Amino acid sequence: MTAPRRAAICTAVLLGLLTASGCSAVELPSAAQATPVESIPVQPIAVVTGSITSVVSVPVTAVVRPEYAVVSPGDGRVRLASSLTKDKEVTAGQVLGWLGETTITAPTDGILTYRLPDRTTLIHQGIPVATIRYPGFGVTGTVPVAQAFRLSADPSIAKVQLDSGPGVTDCAPQPTAPAGSSTPSTTTPSAASPSAAVTSTPAQSTVVEAPTTAAATLEVLCLLPSGTGVVDGLTGTLGLRTGEVTDVLVLPVAAVAGAVDHGDVALVVDGTVTTTPVTLGISDGVLVEITGGLALGDQVLPFGPNLRQTIS
């Protein structure tokens, strides 16, 4: 049999097999035939009541003698105690200074590693007035910036589970010491070194400005009690409970455009969709508390207003 004849027979057999197996050409829909996203029907969801426990889980590592910051509880002029001296011991409860009538105290025993350079300083809330080196162990980790808003309120309860270590242990969350806080910068900080900037005013007082940073994570620190029985470098998981509410109005987080305090929803009334502002409470990453702007039973689209769909 010649080669051309063998090729013709093989081609005929292959075509026969394809036909027998039901293979046929498929005509794909054109772009004009595709269903636009806007016309996909979406069923609204109702505002309901529920309970939320906001817990942020963070992978952590045990560290020896960590430094933490003592921050200003508000905006105003901080006056430091005259006895406050760098590299000296402080005790838990010792008065470090005052913001108006509010007393600022040391949370734990330790060594003072930094204090504001002037005894009287104009300062913003959350800026460190001092840093203290804790004499024991702590755990540190980083929270992705997407979850950092959930730590805007001080955690009410913190527990850590260390791998191959002691069982679940309570710990004390503390603000982390800014980079270079032992030798504070006197210039505007860079993203790589978010220390507080210190500038002089004509009145010879010092204004401490909030640091600027482009970091994609937020560092967290939790101090372990004495006698926990850990070693440097031990890893584990830290759980920070930032709040708990019961019998409150809730929606899935996907239904709200916004994350902290305020947001928008796509409210559905008689088939008409309206972007409606709402106020927000705590979130557990799945549900978010609605503190204002909606009532029980209100209907909203399951996606935020920026992802609005047609109602079925």
Side-chain angles (χ1 to χ4, degrees):
M1 183 182 298
T2 64
R5 181 172 177 77
R6 284 198 303 270
I9 293 174
C10 289
T11 300
V13 171
L14 179 59
L15 290 174
L17 290 173
L18 289 173
T19 303
S21 62
C23 294
S24 60
V26 177
E27 183 179 354
L28 296 176
S30 66
Q33 295 174 308
T35 303
V37 172
E38 291 78 5
S39 67
I40 298 175
V42 173
Q43 185 66 36
I45 59 175
V47 178
V48 298
T49 58
S51 300
I52 297 176
T53 299
S54 178
V55 177
V56 177
S57 295
V58 186
V60 291
T61 302
V63 293
V64 178
R65 303 180 69 200
E67 289 188 18
Y68 66 90
V70 180
V71 301
S72 173
D75 296 346
R77 195 171 296 278
V78 168
R79 178 169 55 91
L80 296 181
S82 59
S83 60
L84 205 59
T85 305
K86 183 182 174 183
D87 297 327
K88 297 296 184 181
E89 290 187 5
V90 294
T91 57
Q94 178 178 332
V95 175
L96 304 180
W98 300 265
L99 176 71
E101 300 298 321
T102 302
T103 302
I104 303 172
T105 59
T108 70
D109 296 344
I111 302 295
L112 188 77
T113 57
Y114 164 74
R115 67 168 182 80
L116 291 173
D118 292 340
R119 292 292 179 185
T120 302
T121 305
L122 186 63
I123 199 170
H124 294 164
Q125 181 177 359
I127 298 300
V129 301
T131 59
I132 296 173
R133 180 178 294 116
Y134 184 60
F137 284 91
V139 292
T140 62
T142 54
V143 178
V145 71
Q147 295 190 48
F149 75 91
R150 293 172 60 191
L151 297 179
S152 58
D154 292 334
S156 57
I157 295 177
K159 295 180 180 291
V160 62
Q161 172 69 69
L162 293 168
D163 304 330
S164 304
V168 177
T169 304
D170 293 337
C171 62
Q174 297 293 343
T176 56
S181 59
S182 297
T183 54
S185 171
T186 56
T187 59
T188 302
S190 66
S193 180
S195 303
V198 181
T199 58
S200 295
T201 67
Q204 300 303 313
S205 62
T206 301
V207 178
V208 179
E209 300 174 348
T212 57
T213 177
T217 57
L218 173 70
E219 186 176 0
V220 294
L221 168 67
C222 211
L223 305 180
L224 298 173
S226 174
T228 302
V230 301
V231 295
D232 188 27
L234 201 62
T235 59
T237 301
L238 173 66
L240 297 166
R241 194 170 86 179
T242 60
E244 184 176 15
V245 291
T246 58
D247 296 325
V248 296
L249 300 182
V250 298
L251 278 174
V253 293
V256 182
V260 182
D261 297 335
H262 296 85
D264 293 303
V265 298
L267 180 65
V268 180
V269 179
D270 297 329
T272 300
V273 179
T274 305
T275 298
T276 301
V278 292
T279 54
L280 308 175
I282 69 171
S283 172
D284 61 4
V286 177
L287 297 175
V288 61
E289 178 189 7
I290 306 297
T291 59
L294 294 174
L296 181 65
D298 281 349
Q299 300 282 311
V300 302
L301 295 185
F303 306 102
N306 294 334
L307 300 174
R308 185 176 299 171
Q309 307 287 317
T310 298
I311 307 169
S312 60

